[in-house]
DNA sequence: GTGAAAGCGCTAACAC
DNA sequence: GTGTTAGCGCTTTCAC
């Protein structure tokens, strides 16, 4: 009997099963082995407690069964939702998802992509902070593995899943207009990203469709995590202040709520609010905040499916899928009170 | 000249540098190579654009330079903070962190641990949902790589970083007592976890130290994500209702705020509130919610350090580090209004 | 310090 | 189908 090596490898399994190494490998991989052989090998593997060595499999087969997910910020509840859903999808498809925070930092994103290459990711889910960066575009172009872009518009042919922000914002604006609102502000950040551009586009489209001039009520904060408090407070101090606000994400919603309060205004009586993206914060706020919800589980399902399809068949033409926003009205949106004075407080 | 293989390997680099494969390897790994050799090899590597193949390195060296992080739920903003901080720490130390959601699901946790083994993680950060599970304890015991446990009390010798919930809750209770509060409720969940037990302990200790009997004001929701709305509303409906609430995390805070509002009570005039764990929700709520903050960056630093130390030196005695909570008072905590009647509304 | 050689554990190519 | 053999790209002996 041979000296115990501590670890058990497939050779040990093959020996115990009384078959060759190659047969054992085939038996465990489901490819071309007789039922009898598979039976014996599986029994032996179980008896020895054999577990495939992932590094060896990856080295030999050139497949890591791992996908990289580069998202802007897992601290953002919306992206946390995406990653949780991606994890479930990829695990079910036999892939392990590896999460990295891009943090809206180009250098960091490039380093991460480079690390994904070195670690032999079979594919990548990508949502860069700045989609206008030539370096990022070039990095994507030269990436040796397939990538699926999430809610960004990057040059080049690649699969993508995009969120239909334009249609969503338009629905929200039209709903507010139906309630009598005309001065509706849009609060975003300055980022060079698809979501920002498309939201503005949907906003303008709603005014155009209503035959109204587009008001000068779009404010853009410095960064996605920056406060938009000053900008919104300034807006609310104007003689013709907005009576409704559509705000992007958790940070801007916080800013908006504080700005409204600081001007002595009340939500929803004086100002209606709609947030983009549903979170516990919006749901549980008192009064609850109306939202444009994004089905992140659906988005994740599409992302995962596109990526594994392309890994399996790299020659496929580029596909682009769209995820709709759904408007969910809560207590934060009410009809315009015509008697309301811009800065009046009712008691 | 040889046929181009497409990929460049270290053998190509060595050839271009005019040294042997072994020397090239040593040069790139900093171990025992002359400055001249290193110079030549680095130049050649750069010229060819060589990147080490991670699977090959891992297979041969038995080191994956990857650590698994099994956290209960990345959707919880507190754990998102932990992972972001862990990512920075481990990346700086030369390790790649792999995130997995345990989701308070034993089966899933066990599967994840098994996957960490198979993928040859060099170490693991572990915060299981239920620390009383024998299966989990057994899995930890037989784990072939080092693990550092985060804020849990698991049997066996292992490194850990724990949060001093007991001291934190005690400080909060004592502060509320100093403001005149005597009926202080504690809202937690039922989980068999260290944080829950220690918070109760700190709560009782504060009453004991004040020479007061411990009131029957501890409520425990079914799950960490469940609503505690009913329980808190019941509490607030009692003749001798609590005048202050200490609540765990984001979900319970939401429940508490809604329960207070549903009883026609106001925060902070009628009920003071302290939340455990600081989040944007607590900070930006109107009025802002006082919190026991946990420095998750500090916790992550300690976790990462403990793990890499142990990877480097497995024989080290088990270490346990403690992270303190800091009480941060905001508008949600005010002195007890003696004139306040249990369910009265002042207008 | 350096080169030659031997694998890490597995899959894939090749005969049979 | 099955066994044999040859590597995947690298690190790590071992002589020198």
């Amino acid at each position: 009997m041979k000296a115990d090596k501590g670890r058990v490898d497939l050779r040990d399994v093959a020996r115990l099963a009384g078959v060759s190494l190659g047969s054992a490998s085939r038996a465990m991989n489901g490819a071309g082995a007789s039922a009898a052989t598979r039976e014996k090998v599986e029994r032996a593997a179980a008896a020895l407690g054999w577990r495939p060595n992932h590094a060896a499999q990856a080295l030999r087969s050139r497949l890591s069964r791992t996908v990289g997910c580069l998202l802007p910020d897992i601290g953002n509840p919306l992206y946390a939702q995406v990653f949780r859903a991606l994890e479930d999808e990829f695990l079910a498809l036999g892939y392990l998802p590896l999460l990295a925070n891009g943090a809206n930092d180009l250098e960091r994103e490039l380093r991460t992509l480079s690390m994904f290459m070195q670690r032999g990711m079979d594919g990548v889910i990508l949502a860069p902070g700045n989609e206008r960066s030539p370096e990022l575009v070039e990095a994507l172009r030269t990436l040796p593995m397939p990538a699926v872009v999430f809610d960004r518009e990057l040059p080049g042919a690649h699969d993508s899943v995009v969120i239909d922000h334009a249609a969503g914002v338009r629905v929200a604006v039209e709903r507010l207009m139906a309630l009598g609102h005309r001065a509706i502000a849009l609060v975003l950040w300055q980022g060079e990203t698809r979501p920002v551009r498309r939201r503005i586009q949907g906003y303008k489209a709603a005014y155009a469709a209503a035959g109204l001039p587009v008001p000068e009520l779009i404010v853009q904060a410095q960064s996605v995590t920056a406060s938009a408090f000053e900008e919104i407070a300034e807006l609310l101090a104007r003689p013709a202040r907005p009576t409704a606000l559509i705000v992007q994400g958790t940070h801007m919603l916080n800013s908006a709520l504080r700005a409204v309060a600081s001007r002595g205004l009340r939500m929803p009586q004086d100002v209606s609010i709609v947030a983009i993206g549903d979170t516990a914060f919006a749901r549980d706020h008192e009064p609850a905040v109306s939202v444009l919800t994004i089905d992140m589980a659906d988005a994740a399902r599409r992302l995962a499916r596109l990526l594994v399809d392309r890994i399996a068949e790299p020659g496929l033409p580029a596909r682009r899928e769209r995820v709709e926003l759904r408007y969910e009205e809560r207590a934060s949106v009410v009809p315009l009170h015509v008697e309301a004075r811009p800065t009046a407080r009712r008691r």
Side-chain angles (χ1 to χ4, degrees), chain A:
Chain A
M1 184 164 269
K2 249 194 152 177
D4 198 309
K5 313 193 309 301
R7 269 168 280 272
V8 316
D9 61 18
L10 194 52
R11 178 158 262 119
D12 299 324
V13 174
R15 195 176 299 127
L16 180 61
V19 300
S20 74
L21 172 61
S23 292
S25 173
R26 284 182 291 254
M28 298 309 298
N29 289 310
S34 69
T37 301
R38 173 169 304 150
E39 169 80 21
K40 284 187 294 184
V41 172
E42 276 170 358
R43 199 184 302 280
L48 296 175
W50 175 81
R51 315 281 273 125
N53 177 312
H54 180 259
Q57 288 184 317
L59 175 59
R60 182 62 238 233
S61 69
R62 303 186 166 292
L63 251 42
S64 70
R65 295 246 150 229
T66 311
V67 295
C69 303
L70 179 53
L71 301 178
D73 175 20
I74 198 68
N76 179 330
L78 255 29
Y79 285 115
Q81 286 173 26
V82 175
F83 181 69
R84 284 210 302 186
L86 281 175
E87 190 182 19
D88 289 339
E89 293 299 325
F90 278 120
L91 252 21
L93 292 166
Y95 287 84
L96 181 70
L98 181 61
L99 173 67
N101 282 302
N104 282 309
D105 174 349
L106 177 63
E107 283 306 319
R108 186 170 175 142
E109 291 172 341
L110 295 174
R111 270 205 312 278
T112 301
L113 250 23
S114 160
M115 184 217 71
F116 282 173
M117 288 176 48
Q118 181 173 333
R119 295 226 173 202
M121 299 290 119
D122 292 341
V124 170
I125 303 288
L126 185 61
N130 180 335
E131 59 191 1
R132 289 284 189 263
S133 150
E135 294 95 326
L136 199 281
V137 171
E138 177 62 13
L140 171 60
R141 207 181 56 73
T142 58
L143 219 52
M145 72 287 255
V148 179
V149 173
F150 178 45
D151 204 24
R152 297 288 186 270
E153 262 158 17
L154 261 20
H158 48 252
D159 301 311
S160 63
V161 173
V162 295
I163 298 169
D164 199 348
H165 303 281
V169 169
R170 179 167 172 173
V171 163
V173 172
E174 288 177 344
R175 169 62 181 157
L176 289 165
M177 284 178 171
L179 292 172
H181 295 276
R182 288 298 174 272
I184 303 164
L186 183 64
V187 181
L188 306 168
W189 71 295
Q190 293 180 341
E192 270 295 349
T193 64
R194 178 179 191 283
V196 170
R197 289 194 306 277
R198 303 288 289 177
R199 286 163 187 165
I200 292 174
Q201 187 179 321
Y203 175 82
K204 291 181 174 169
Y207 274 97
L212 295 169
V214 180
E216 300 282 334
L217 292 174
I218 301 179
V219 301
Q220 296 192 254
Q222 290 282 341
S223 83
V224 69
T225 50
S227 169
F229 179 86
E230 303 291 351
E231 293 88 335
I232 302 171
E234 184 276 319
L235 219 56
L236 294 170
R238 293 187 193 171
R241 66 160 179 82
T243 62
L245 262 37
I246 298 176
V247 298
Q248 147 175 320
T250 312
H251 284 282
M252 306 287 155
L253 175 56
N254 290 333
S255 300
L257 291 170
R258 285 187 295 126
V260 167
S262 80
R263 296 293 317 159
L265 298 169
R266 291 160 313 162
M267 189 275 274
Q269 297 98 316
D270 305 317
V271 183
S272 287
I273 293 192
V274 175
I276 301 174
D278 196 12
T279 59
F281 179 85
R283 262 192 309 280
D284 294 322
H285 192 272
E286 196 61 48
V289 179
S290 305
V291 289
L292 287 164
T293 64
I294 307 168
D295 185 344
M296 291 303 189
D298 180 39
R301 209 169 301 124
R302 294 165 188 274
L303 286 167
R305 175 60 61 192
L306 285 178
L307 190 53
V308 298
D309 282 359
R310 178 155 305 277
I311 291 170
E313 214 168 324
L316 247 37
R319 291 186 289 175
R320 180 193 192 85
E321 301 201 356
R322 192 172 291 277
V323 175
E324 303 302 328
L325 291 172
R326 189 168 50 76
Y327 175 68
E328 183 165 335
E329 193 160 287
R330 299 179 183 146
S332 71
V333 168
V334 295
L336 180 67
H337 288 221
V338 284
E339 78 272 28
R341 295 289 175 287
T343 56
R345 297 190 78 167
R346 282 184 264 105
R347 275 230 96 199

